[in-house]
Structure formats: C-alpha cells, structure tokens
Amino acid sequence: MNHQYTSDIIKTLKENEFKYTWGNVTVKLAEANGFCWGVERAVQIAYEARKQFPDERIWITNQIIHNPTVNKRLDEMEVKRIPKEEGRKQFEVVDKGDVVILPAFGAAVDEMLILSDKDVQIVDTTCPWVSKVWDTVEKHKKGEYTSIIHGVYDHEEAVATASYAGKYVTVKNMDEASYVCDYILGGELNGSSSTKEAFQEKFKKAISSGFDPDKDLVKCGIANQTTMLMTETDSIGKLVEKTMMRKYGVENINDHFVSFNTICYATQERQDAMLKLVEEKLDFILVVGGWNSDNTSHLQEMAELRGIPSYWIDSEERIGPGNRIAYKLKHGELVENENWLPEGPVTIGVTSGASTPNKVVEDALIKVFDIKRKEALQLGII
C-alpha cells in the first residue's frame, strides 16, 4: 500500500519542520495531517482481504473511507459496494460464503443481524475509536440515559452509533443542542424551542422511535461522531451539564447527566494543527480531502472562520486547466475561480483530512508548482 499513497513532497516537508520552498512557492504543512491510524488500518485490512480471498465475491457496506482515490482503488480490486434503492441497502445480492467488509465507520446493528443470518465471512475494519463511542452509548442505555449524539444524523457513523443506543437525539451543532436544552428548561435558556410536537417534527429523522422529549430528556449522556469539531462537542457537553444543574440542582447532577471521554485524538490533533496553521502568514490554504468527508469539512470551516482564503479540493483534478480551480466551501457549495493563484512568490498553508493519502496532496501541489513554473517562464524569470 505504501507506494500508492506515500509522498516525497510530504516527506521533505516533515524533514524540514513542515516548511519548504520550491521555486517561488513556499509550503507550510499542518503538523498533523492526512491518514490517521484508524483509516490506514481500515484500508490495509480491506486490501489484505482481497489477497486472502482472491476468488470470493467481496462486498462492502459503505465507502471504506470518504476519499475518492481509495474507493476507486477498491472498485478496481472488484470490491463491490452493496447497492442502495430508495435509501435501503439491497442485502439480497449477498450470498452465503461471500465476504463482506465493514468500513471504518462501522455498521448498524440491524445490518449486522442481516449479515449474521446470511452466514458470510465478515471483515471488520471499524475504527477502535468509533467502537469506543458505541461502548459509551451502550453504557447510557444500561443506565437509562438518553444519548445526545453530536453528529450528522444520516452519516454512516452516526447511524451506526444511534443503533447501539437506547433513546437518542442527534444534534449537528450548538444551535440544535441549544434548542434541546431550551426545551429541557421550558424555554428559559434562549426561547428557541416551543411545543413537544414542534420538537418531534424538528428532529423527526434524528430521534429514536417513540421519542418523547418530556420523558426522555430527564437523564442524558453525551456521545459524538468522531469526525465532528471537537471543541463544539466539548461545548455541547458543558451546555447540557449546566442545563441539568439548573433544572435539577447541582447536588443531583449525577442522576441526570453522565459524560465519558469519546474524543478521537486523531481528529483533535488535526484540528489543533489547523488552529496553529491559521496563525501563520499565508496567502491562502489548500485543504485536501473527500468532499463527503466530515472531518475535512471542519478543517475548511476553521480556515473560513479566520477569514483566510481557503480551497477545499478532493483531488488534483480540481486544479486546471490553466490557473483555474473548482473547490467547495464548508457547507458544500461548489465554487469555480479563475486566476486563483496570485502572481509572484506565494506562501501556501496545506492540510488534509484523516482519510486523505499523502500522494493525493502531492499531486495537488505538483499542479500548483506547474502553474507557477509556467508563469515564471512567461515572465522570463527562469
């Protein structure tokens, strides 16, 4: 796997304190970037599965990770994704004796039961940090606590986590968490909530079956999708804890609120490195990672919040032809810019999501170097 995903450019940057100059392009690399341990482990296991089962049909329940380069490689290895129709996975295509890979995000309990009944060979690449979150929501369930899950309700990982919970509500950000806490306090937090029916309508796709906010928000625990903004998860936890103190009294907090550490340190390290990178003097930031990658979207968000020009691309194909780029903003809007690279010397900040191979970053930087080299030739500088 190494030769497919490693990069001499990234190696040079790391050997030179994460800063190096090629021609008139200076690159400053975030000190934590790219493949995390859980992702690398998942990809290696999936590749090894094809070696160990060369003749069997191999399926995967979702994308192994959110990176188009890696997923394309698995397609080439004839690892087939279980098809979906009208939002439902068609497990009928899987036969006894087939091999089924569970991606790094894991799989929901109902999917595991279907596969168990089919008597297939399971290859589980679930990240241990994700499994840790599942352990946490199961503790909530045993203690009859409702899990407040910080995540995107239809993200594969959040779906799997919710399947291990008892009662749950999934909140995607602080605004939604504030709405929940305002409801708990009867509208005395910020007045954003209203009736029980309005609550159930607002979260109709993000709550457990039969969820009653009047009964199911008396005891709460916090969990998170591991790709979320960790500072926001922490803030949501503190808000819920303060809400329960206000509602039930400090002396009774342990009867109404529980919290276990479910932070993924790989995600935290990349976000901390991005916070450091945005303090540098930069012309712009290049964020590289799958456009459906939640952890990468948060890196882009951090740059945007600081007002730094930032371009989120999923591959080098988004650069060109010429001095043109197609990129996404934090909320997914697609933007195309002409003449995005300024003339003369430039200093670029670079980071990449936890599902992004170093080779993908290298290919994008080579495109940048080529544009600047052609510019220098035109100006007679070289």
Side-chain angles (χ1 to χ4, degrees):
M1 189 178 86
N2 282 343
H3 72 282
Q4 297 175 19
Y5 297 135
T6 54
S7 159
D8 289 337
I9 287 177
I10 299 301
K11 183 172 181 287
T12 297
L13 283 161
K14 290 181 177 181
E15 290 173 347
N16 289 275
E17 299 183 341
F18 300 91
K19 178 181 177 182
Y20 200 79
T21 299
W22 287 268
N24 60 356
V25 181
T26 297
V27 178
K28 294 183 178 181
L29 179 68
E31 293 181 11
N33 62 88
F35 266 9
C36 66
W37 171 78
V39 164
E40 187 170 0
R41 170 184 175 273
V43 175
Q44 286 178 332
I45 292 173
Y47 282 13
E48 189 62 31
R50 176 42 84 198
K51 290 180 182 177
Q52 292 194 19
F53 302 101
D55 301 319
E56 285 84 349
R57 290 201 310 170
I58 301 183
W59 302 93
I60 189 164
T61 59
N62 273 306
Q63 294 182 344
I64 185 74
I65 57 173
H66 284 163
N67 183 270
T69 303
V70 175
N71 291 314
K72 181 181 178 183
R73 176 63 184 137
L74 285 176
D75 289 342
E76 293 167 352
M77 296 168 69
E78 296 188 1
V79 175
K80 302 179 184 296
R81 207 169 308 163
I82 293 175
K84 268 180 140 181
E85 285 185 15
E86 299 180 352
R88 190 183 76 85
K89 290 178 186 170
Q90 306 297 300
F91 284 101
E92 297 87 344
V93 300
V94 181
D95 293 329
K96 180 179 179 180
D98 286 354
V99 177
V100 179
I101 298 174
L102 308 183
F105 308 111
V109 171
D110 61 334
E111 294 182 356
M112 294 297 296
L113 291 173
I114 291 170
L115 293 172
S116 177
D117 289 343
K118 283 183 168 291
D119 193 20
V120 297
Q121 175 71 50
I122 297 290
V123 176
D124 189 358
T125 79
T126 305
C127 175
W129 287 105
V130 173
S131 300
K132 182 180 177 183
V133 179
W134 296 350
D135 291 342
T136 293
V137 297
E138 287 192 316
K139 288 177 183 176
H140 294 168
K141 181 165 61 176
K142 288 178 182 177
E144 298 184 340
Y145 288 84
T146 290
S147 295
I148 297 179
I149 303 169
H150 179 209
V152 180
Y153 76 87
D154 58 352
H155 186 284
E156 302 100 302
E157 182 187 329
V159 169
T161 296
S163 75
Y164 285 89
K167 295 293 184 179
Y168 71 86
V169 55
T170 302
V171 297
K172 68 179 179 181
N173 52 32
M174 180 57 85
D175 286 345
E176 290 194 352
S178 296
Y179 185 100
V180 171
C181 289
D182 186 70
Y183 189 90
I184 292 171
L185 294 174
E188 294 183 4
L189 178 65
N190 57 18
S192 60
S193 66
S194 57
T195 65
K196 176 169 79 171
E197 291 73 23
F199 185 105
Q200 292 169 326
E201 177 63 23
K202 180 178 179 65
F203 293 102
K204 61 184 178 182
K205 294 183 179 180
I207 50 177
S208 49
S209 177
F211 191 91
D212 183 343
D214 292 336
K215 298 177 181 178
D216 297 328
L217 293 174
V218 175
K219 297 175 67 177
C220 296
I222 299 296
N224 66 293
Q225 181 182 314
T226 60
T227 58
M228 300 303 282
L229 198 59
M230 293 298 106
T231 53
E232 189 170 49
T233 298
D234 188 51
S235 296
I236 289 171
K238 289 177 180 176
L239 174 63
V240 176
E241 184 177 34
K242 289 178 182 178
T243 296
M244 293 309 200
M245 288 180 183
R246 183 172 166 182
K247 176 81 172 180
Y248 299 106
V250 176
E251 70 279 11
N252 299 313
I253 186 60
N254 291 333
D255 295 327
H256 297 276
F257 177 77
V258 64
S259 179
F260 302 96
N261 183 5
T262 59
I263 288 176
C264 167
Y265 289 101
T267 299
Q268 184 67 64
E269 286 168 1
R270 279 149 187 75
Q271 292 174 4
D272 288 346
M274 188 62 167
L275 286 173
K276 186 176 178 180
L277 184 64
V278 296
E279 296 293 335
E280 298 278 349
K281 188 175 180 179
L282 305 168
D283 290 298
F284 63 87
I285 293 178
L286 195 63
V287 177
V288 187
W291 278 348
N292 60 344
S293 166
D294 206 62
N295 77 86
T296 310
S297 76
H298 291 303
L299 298 177
Q300 172 70 10
E301 179 181 9
M302 294 167 79
E304 290 183 24
L305 288 173
R306 291 301 296 268
I308 300 172
S310 184
Y311 304 95
W312 173 17
I313 61 174
D314 61 349
S315 75
E316 85 285 355
E317 294 176 2
R318 306 303 174 182
I319 300 175
N323 192 2
R324 179 186 299 172
I325 190 168
Y327 64 99
K328 284 199 172 183
L329 302 176
K330 64 177 179 179
H331 294 304
E333 302 95 323
L334 179 62
V335 180
E336 292 189 13
N337 272 10
E338 295 278 358
N339 300 317
W340 69 287
L341 273 174
E343 289 188 1
V346 293
T347 300
I348 307 173
V350 175
T351 190
S352 54
S355 299
T356 308
N358 287 340
K359 184 65 167 62
V360 177
V361 181
E362 173 176 286
D363 291 344
L365 284 173
I366 287 172
K367 281 280 191 80
V368 172
F369 298 159
D370 286 344
I371 293 171
K372 298 302 288 181
R373 188 179 300 112
K374 289 175 183 176
E375 171 197 293
L377 285 169
Q378 289 172 356
L379 296 174
I381 298 172
I382 57 174

